[in-house]
Amino acid sequence: MLTFFTAIFSVAFIEILLSIDNALVNVSLAKKLPHHLQKKALISGIALGGFFRIAGLLLASFLLTNPYIKTLSALYLFWLAYEHLFAKSKEGWELKKRNHPHMILAQVIMANFVFSIDNILGVVGISDNILYIVLGVLIGVIALIFITPFVLRLMHQFPSLEKMTYVLLVYIGGAILFEEFTHYHVPEYITFLCISLAMFIAIWIDRDTSK
């Protein structure tokens, strides 16, 4: 019984952590769209997050044994972070092109796909029990639905959180590669500390402007 509750707690913990980071990315991308399209982008992000998690559940064995998908997913996160952290230094027309609704939607789709893979990997890293994996997927979808509105309000209040989100993507991508090549699972508390530190730094930077 103790093992059951320990596993459930661990699954819930990692799913909520990944849902926070997933929601941060969805909101960061949606903010680059015109105001009337932002809500649609967020709803699409939540729906895609749920869809890819369920699809990932069905394809879990394939995802776990395919190093190419995990490596490409990590490289995509690096690219996404680079594009959004350094795009302002590029020409205006290039920046406008990259912020086109279709480009943003494509990035939302890819980001949710990658986070869904990380979601499945995280749960299977805790237990290969199908009950725990299914429960983890359900927790992840529900958490994404409820966390996204909170993250949206938080990001409006603390704009620096957007940059910190893309810094976190570098960590997530690095963790995926590290686990793939070393076969050592990065502890959940490390992810928790990274997300907490990123949010603390953003809030600290914007502490005066948010008043």
Side-chain angles (χ1 to χ4, degrees):
M1 183 64 70
L2 182 61
T3 302
F4 172 79
F5 285 112
T6 301
I8 294 298
F9 176 79
S10 299
V11 166
F13 181 68
I14 192 170
E15 288 302 323
I16 291 172
L17 281 181
L18 291 175
S19 295
I20 291 173
D21 212 13
N22 200 161
L24 283 168
V25 173
N26 285 339
V27 172
S28 295
L29 291 172
K31 281 187 66 182
K32 298 180 182 297
L33 293 171
H35 185 71
H36 68 283
L37 294 176
Q38 291 181 9
K39 186 175 181 180
K40 291 182 179 178
L42 289 175
I43 293 174
S44 298
I46 293 172
L48 287 167
F51 171 77
F52 284 134
R53 278 166 168 78
I54 294 172
L57 177 62
L58 299 175
L59 299 171
S61 60
F62 173 72
L63 294 175
L64 289 171
T65 56
N66 194 314
Y68 300 107
I69 290 182
K70 289 183 278 186
T71 300
L72 289 174
S73 297
L75 293 177
Y76 173 73
L77 292 182
F78 291 149
W79 175 83
L80 190 63
Y82 171 79
E83 283 292 297
H84 289 271
L85 287 173
F86 300 103
K88 290 183 179 180
S89 62
K90 301 190 177 188
E91 296 294 335
W93 68 273
E94 277 193 53
L95 184 58
K96 185 176 180 181
K97 181 181 178 181
R98 294 178 191 279
N99 288 343
H100 188 278
H102 291 158
M103 287 292 293
I104 295 297
L105 179 59
Q107 291 175 8
V108 169
I109 292 172
M110 282 301 299
N112 280 278
F113 173 73
V114 172
F115 273 101
S116 297
I117 293 176
D118 205 26
N119 173 280
I120 298 298
L121 295 177
V123 176
V124 174
I126 295 172
S127 173
D128 57 2
N129 186 311
I130 188 63
L131 173 64
Y132 298 154
I133 296 174
V134 171
L135 184 62
V137 170
L138 292 176
I139 292 173
V141 173
I142 294 171
L144 192 59
I145 292 172
F146 286 100
I147 288 172
T148 299
F150 169 74
V151 169
L152 180 61
R153 292 194 298 271
L154 198 64
M155 197 166 285
H156 278 301
Q157 189 173 0
F158 304 103
S160 294
L161 194 56
E162 183 176 348
K163 283 190 175 181
M164 289 295 104
T165 297
Y166 294 109
V167 173
L168 282 173
L169 288 188
V170 176
Y171 161 74
I172 296 294
I176 292 174
L177 290 180
F178 178 79
E179 291 183 354
E180 175 59 29
F181 290 107
T182 66
H183 304 291
Y184 175 79
H185 178 64
V186 177
E188 284 70 42
Y189 74 86
I190 299 294
T191 301
F192 173 76
L193 289 175
C194 287
I195 293 176
S196 299
L197 180 62
M199 296 183 74
F200 175 78
I201 292 174
I203 292 172
W204 177 264
I205 293 173
D206 296 326
R207 65 190 184 283
D208 294 326
T209 58
S210 63
K211 293 178 180 179

